[in-house]
Amino acid sequence: MSIAESSASVEVSELTPEEARAAFDQIAHAAMDMSGEEFLAAFDEGTFGDVDPDDHPGLLDVLMALPLVR
């Protein structure tokens, strides 16, 4: 059976702004041991501007989650 022939279903649910902010906060805590608010403040100050995400474990996870709050 090919993917086109499968009967798999996909369910999508949208997060409220509060749920999205909470999810971002959890990701920031788990990945970088800082709150989402702390990360956003540091990000806005340019702290991560010239940083290679590969050199900082967890940074890429948080950067990829930015669309949740921005």
Side-chain angles (χ1 to χ4, degrees), residues 11-66:
E11 190 174 319
V12 175
S13 60
E14 292 186 34
L15 298 176
T16 65
E18 294 80 18
E19 291 169 330
R21 186 161 292 280
F24 183 78
D25 193 56
Q26 288 177 341
I27 292 166
H29 271 291
M32 300 199 57
D33 198 29
M34 59 175 34
S35 72
E37 237 176 75
E38 290 171 322
F39 179 85
L40 290 173
F43 183 79
D44 289 343
E45 291 172 4
T47 301
F48 304 108
D50 293 330
V51 173
D52 182 354
D54 291 332
D55 293 337
H56 296 279
L59 178 56
L60 189 56
D61 295 337
V62 183
L63 292 174
M64 290 182 0
L66 272 174

